[in-house]
Amino acid sequence: MAKGKLSIHTENIFPIIKKWLYSEHDIFLRELIANAIDALSKRETLDAKAKKKDLRVKIEIDKQDKCLRVIDSGVGMSEQEIKKYINQIAFSGAEDFVEKYKDKDIIGHFGLGFYSSFMVADKVSIDSLSYQDDAVPAAWECEGQTEYKMSSGSRKEVGTTVTVHLNSDSKDYLESYKIKEILDKYCTFMPFPIEFEGKVVNQKEPLWEKDPKDVKDKEYKEFYKEYFGDWQDPLFWIHLNVDYPFNLKGILYFPKLDEHAMRNTGMVKLFCNRVFVADNVKELLPEFLLLLKGGIDIPDIPLNVSRSFLQHDKQVQKITGYIVKKIADELKRMFNKDRKGYEKIWEDIQKYVKYGVLTQEKFFEACKEVVLFQDTDKKWHSLQELIAEQTDEKKVVNYTTDAHSPYIDVLVSEGKKVVLADEVLDNHLFQKYEMADNNLSFTRVDAQISESMVDKDRAEEVDEKGKSESEKIKEIFEKQIGDKKVQVKVQALKMKDVPAMIVFDEHMRRFMEMNATIGQNDDNLPMTGYELVVNLNNGLIQKMSKMNGKKDKEKLNLLCRYVNDLALIKQNNFTPKKLQEFVKMSSQMLEMV
């Protein structure tokens, strides 16, 4: 039996392995199996005598000896190969590794996957027989120190057995359920059979390995439901298949979202040569795509040692750009080739797309013309379709946040479309489009008095003193409200059931609504600089104009404040305190009646 020391400067390696190597100890089994799969692949290539049916990995639990065995029929190793690949841990890079990464939770490509087993082991042994002619079996063992032992092995068949003698803190790896859990997570798509407890636990080919033209829609849906445990069909999917300038295969599914789904992230699983790496790929996918489901296999992705997080480099950025472009291309294809189908799924995918165009400039440029807006008749339009018939240089899109707004009918009666904007992102989206085109504006229907809202045929009465109805009403409101910031204007509007409306700067109102969404809407954010347009055609306003100023002072004061607040409430500007005051005022109005 030969003894020796692991080279080079390895006295610092094992503490790092045991304490900082991986955030999840389960990964040791993935690493050992990945090594075994690599050995099988090499034997399939190098050994003409190897039979495909004999190439496999077997996992065994030995509760009596408190050990776990990973047995493969791969290429095997001679004594010299064990010394080369196992003893010389990181070759000449070991010293650099220790100095550079000793304080970090990562390990790079230093051939240290095998040594992850020492996170859970008191001792690890290898028994291997090379496929080469006249090879003799070789054995190796190490107890997590810098010393190792080598001797003659006992393997009679080509391949390698790695035995992990578990430490006292890792006895859960002797339980079948634990091993099955790890195998299901990491080994589902590995290309050779993996046996555990007499059963093959993988034997599944990832659908993304097939050529897209050879896969039917039914297969995509069945694979999605089986692998991701969803009972609903995906909305649509994108099959990725590229070999230049990087090697990448995968399928990204757009699931139907619900409130539960919106709370989850990390549904896109990352693989490296079919070995599961991570289901948290924030470094690879932009944030607006993190709710997708799918799998991406990148054989040469730059990974850290634990293969759990991606490094930020130019290749990753190129891959991200490629994925975003593929999604944009597919959206444009559906919009142009299958408009009905696109509209059918838009309500579900709009959160992805809107968030994407707001956060990714390239995605905005690619998809700004395929974003859909729904009008109050429940019909979908692109921005270009909404403004196509407008002849003025300044294009205006009218929208409402209230589908029952009384102002809508007037605009619709004149053939104008009104967009229903009831999504949280809509205000941000409008601003994005306006910033991209200075001749475009989105205006809420109650943010201005358009000519179509005014009753131009309404004739005003004049009293014996020559004062018109408009003048009297304006005087009443200015006197009773007594706020110089409120500009009172009187007009005869076609909407007779509306006593008054607020004309408030569109961008100021958006600013205040955005503040409200982040909890900053309070009494310290007053509605400043707005115009109160009192409707001369409203019955209540006409009655108010005939009241005696002195006799009905208290009643007029209450009515003016009520009409003002009634118009304000349409701007969604009421805090709980303000709303409580309005309810109290409403009660006073009822008592007055």
Side-chain angles (χ1 to χ4, degrees):
M1 178 182 292
K3 295 183 179 181
K5 282 197 173 185
L6 302 174
S7 64
I8 298 168
H9 293 282
T10 54
E11 57 270 14
N12 290 321
I13 286 289
F14 283 106
I16 293 172
I17 288 171
K18 291 182 177 181
K19 192 169 182 179
W20 294 299
L21 180 56
Y22 295 105
S23 56
E24 295 182 26
H25 286 187
D26 292 359
I27 291 176
F28 88 92
L29 186 55
R30 179 196 71 181
E31 293 295 325
L32 294 181
I33 295 174
N35 288 344
I37 294 293
D38 185 53
L40 292 168
S41 180
K42 287 178 179 176
R43 187 177 181 192
E44 184 179 43
T45 302
L46 299 173
D47 188 358
K49 295 178 290 185
K51 298 179 181 179
K52 178 74 174 179
K53 66 181 181 65
D54 296 329
L55 300 179
R56 59 188 53 224
V57 181
K58 188 176 182 181
I59 313 298
E60 290 183 349
I61 291 174
D62 187 337
K63 290 192 175 184
Q64 183 174 346
D65 289 341
K66 299 177 183 177
C67 63
L68 180 72
R69 296 186 183 90
V70 178
I71 306 164
D72 71 66
S73 54
V75 71
M77 292 182 288
S78 64
E79 181 177 335
Q80 291 303 312
E81 287 171 325
I82 290 176
K83 288 179 179 179
K84 178 179 179 181
Y85 296 116
I86 302 300
N87 292 351
Q88 295 182 34
I89 300 175
F91 303 100
S92 60
E95 183 177 11
D96 291 338
F97 162 75
V98 172
E99 289 304 312
K100 189 172 183 180
Y101 296 108
K102 63 183 178 181
D103 295 324
K104 298 184 181 180
D105 187 30
I106 61 171
I107 293 189
H109 284 177
F110 295 91
L112 288 168
F114 165 77
Y115 280 91
S116 64
S117 56
F118 284 96
M119 293 187 300
V120 299
D122 287 327
K123 181 173 72 174
V124 179
S125 60
I126 298 172
D127 191 2
S128 190
L129 176 62
S130 172
Y131 79 98
Q132 295 179 1
D133 294 336
D134 301 322
V136 295
W140 176 98
E141 69 176 48
C142 178
E143 295 182 358
Q145 304 297 324
T146 55
E147 292 82 14
Y148 68 87
K149 298 177 182 177
M150 287 209 68
S151 60
S152 298
S154 59
R155 287 264 326 195
K156 299 193 182 326
E157 296 180 349
V158 173
T160 300
T161 299
V162 176
T163 303
V164 180
H165 299 267
L166 297 164
N167 59 38
S168 58
D169 295 330
S170 305
K171 294 302 191 300
D172 53 335
Y173 295 108
L174 294 174
E175 302 298 330
S176 298
Y177 79 88
K178 180 66 174 177
I179 301 305
K180 183 67 165 59
E181 182 183 275
I182 298 172
L183 296 176
D184 286 344
K185 181 175 182 179
Y186 292 106
C187 305
T188 300
F189 299 127
M190 287 188 176
F192 292 94
I194 300 171
E195 289 183 11
F196 178 60
E197 295 188 325
K199 295 180 180 179
V200 174
V201 297
N202 56 335
Q203 284 298 331
K204 294 178 182 178
E205 182 180 11
L207 201 60
W208 52 77
E209 290 291 332
K210 293 186 176 181
D211 192 310
K213 69 177 186 296
D214 297 330
V215 186
K216 298 179 180 179
D217 287 358
K218 183 180 179 181
E219 291 180 87
Y220 283 116
K221 293 176 182 179
E222 288 176 350
F223 180 80
Y224 170 79
K225 289 180 177 179
E226 178 184 359
Y227 192 58
F228 297 103
D230 197 339
W231 60 273
Q232 299 183 95
D233 285 340
L235 298 170
F236 71 100
W237 53 85
I238 295 173
H239 196 142
L240 307 170
N241 193 335
V242 62
D243 53 20
Y244 182 83
F246 42 79
N247 191 346
L248 178 150
K249 293 181 180 179
I251 301 174
L252 294 177
Y253 290 96
F254 280 71
K256 189 174 179 63
L257 293 180
D258 54 30
E259 290 184 5
H260 176 71
M262 291 298 290
R263 293 194 295 269
N264 293 321
T265 57
M267 300 180 190
V268 177
K269 300 177 183 294
L270 178 65
F271 296 82
C272 182
N273 287 316
R274 297 196 186 187
V275 179
F276 173 76
V277 174
D279 55 10
N280 184 345
V281 286
K282 291 180 180 178
E283 295 85 352
L284 186 63
L285 290 180
E287 192 174 0
F288 79 98
L289 296 179
L290 289 178
L291 290 176
L292 300 188
K293 295 182 180 181
I296 298 176
D297 195 315
I298 310 173
D300 54 353
I301 190 73
L303 301 171
N304 60 25
V305 181
S306 67
R307 301 160 85 175
S308 299
F309 300 96
L310 298 173
Q311 295 172 349
H312 293 283
D313 73 351
K314 291 181 180 179
Q315 186 181 24
V316 171
Q317 293 170 10
K318 288 179 181 178
I319 292 171
T320 301
Y322 166 77
I323 292 172
V324 171
K325 183 179 183 302
K326 287 288 288 185
I327 289 173
D329 289 346
E330 179 61 15
L331 291 172
K332 289 188 287 186
R333 186 198 67 78
M334 287 191 291
F335 177 86
N336 292 318
K337 302 293 185 182
D338 182 16
R339 179 60 180 267
K340 287 185 178 180
Y342 186 69
E343 290 181 6
K344 187 176 180 180
I345 66 170
W346 174 255
E347 200 159 348
D348 288 295
I349 68 170
Q350 62 175 313
K351 288 184 175 67
Y352 297 115
V353 181
K354 288 179 179 179
Y355 192 40
V357 300
L358 285 170
T359 56
Q360 294 273 322
E361 192 60 34
K362 287 185 178 179
F363 191 72
F364 171 71
E365 290 300 325
C367 294
K368 61 184 178 183
E369 295 181 2
V370 300
V371 172
L372 295 183
F373 301 88
Q374 190 177 47
D375 67 20
T376 49
D377 290 329
K378 302 297 183 182
K379 295 180 181 178
W380 294 104
H381 310 271
S382 69
L383 176 60
Q384 293 303 314
E385 291 163 352
L386 286 170
I387 63 176
E389 297 179 3
Q390 296 188 29
T391 55
D392 294 340
E393 183 180 0
K394 187 75 173 180
K395 311 297 183 185
V396 177
V397 177
N398 295 295
Y399 74 94
T400 181
T401 55
D402 178 10
H404 305 290
S405 172
Y407 315 120
I408 296 172
D409 293 340
V410 177
L411 293 170
V412 172
S413 67
E414 295 188 343
K416 296 178 180 178
K417 296 180 178 66
V418 178
V419 168
L420 181 60
D422 54 3
E423 289 284 331
V424 175
L425 295 177
D426 285 340
N427 270 345
H428 302 275
L429 190 68
F430 297 159
Q431 189 169 342
K432 180 73 175 179
Y433 277 101
E434 288 168 343
M435 290 175 64
D437 184 353
N438 292 328
N439 290 320
L440 173 69
S441 67
F442 287 80
T443 304
R444 205 164 84 169
V445 293
D446 56 353
Q448 66 179 16
I449 302 296
S450 63
E451 290 186 9
S452 57
M453 293 182 180
V454 179
D455 183 1
K456 297 177 182 178
D457 298 326
R458 169 69 153 82
E460 290 194 42
E461 295 180 8
V462 179
D463 65 13
E464 65 278 3
K465 296 180 181 180
K467 188 178 289 187
S468 68
E469 291 177 274
S470 295
E471 289 174 316
K472 287 194 289 185
I473 293 170
K474 179 178 174 66
E475 187 178 286
I476 289 171
F477 272 86
E478 286 180 337
K479 184 176 181 180
Q480 298 301 329
I481 294 176
D483 187 346
K484 292 182 179 180
K485 297 181 221 176
V486 180
Q487 301 298 313
V488 178
K489 184 176 181 179
V490 181
Q491 280 187 291
L493 304 179
K494 292 179 180 179
M495 304 85 70
K496 294 183 179 181
D497 56 343
V498 177
M501 64 182 288
I502 296 294
V503 175
F504 186 64
D505 180 75
E506 173 75 18
H507 296 288
M508 178 59 72
R509 183 186 52 73
R510 287 189 208 171
F511 171 74
M512 296 183 71
E513 286 184 356
M514 289 177 188
N515 278 335
T517 63
I518 59 175
Q520 293 185 7
N521 188 28
D522 55 37
D523 292 334
N524 295 318
L525 289 172
M527 290 281 284
T528 58
Y530 71 86
E531 186 176 67
L532 177 67
V533 180
V534 183
N535 185 7
L536 186 62
N537 271 342
N538 180 259
L540 174 62
I541 301 302
Q542 290 172 4
K543 288 179 181 179
M544 289 173 66
S545 70
K546 294 178 173 60
M547 288 182 182
N548 183 292
K550 294 180 180 179
K551 181 182 176 182
D552 300 311
K553 180 179 179 181
E554 187 176 338
K555 186 182 290 187
L556 280 171
N557 178 268
L558 179 62
L559 286 170
C560 285
R561 288 191 294 115
Y562 183 79
V563 169
N564 182 66
D565 283 4
L566 191 63
L568 276 176
I569 202 170
K570 286 292 185 180
Q571 293 286 344
N572 300 319
N573 190 59
F574 277 17
T575 62
K577 180 181 177 182
K578 183 67 175 174
L579 185 59
Q580 188 177 15
E581 292 174 356
F582 181 74
V583 171
K584 182 179 179 181
M585 192 187 306
S586 299
S587 298
Q588 292 173 332
M589 288 286 295
L590 291 173
E591 289 175 7
M592 188 176 67
V593 173

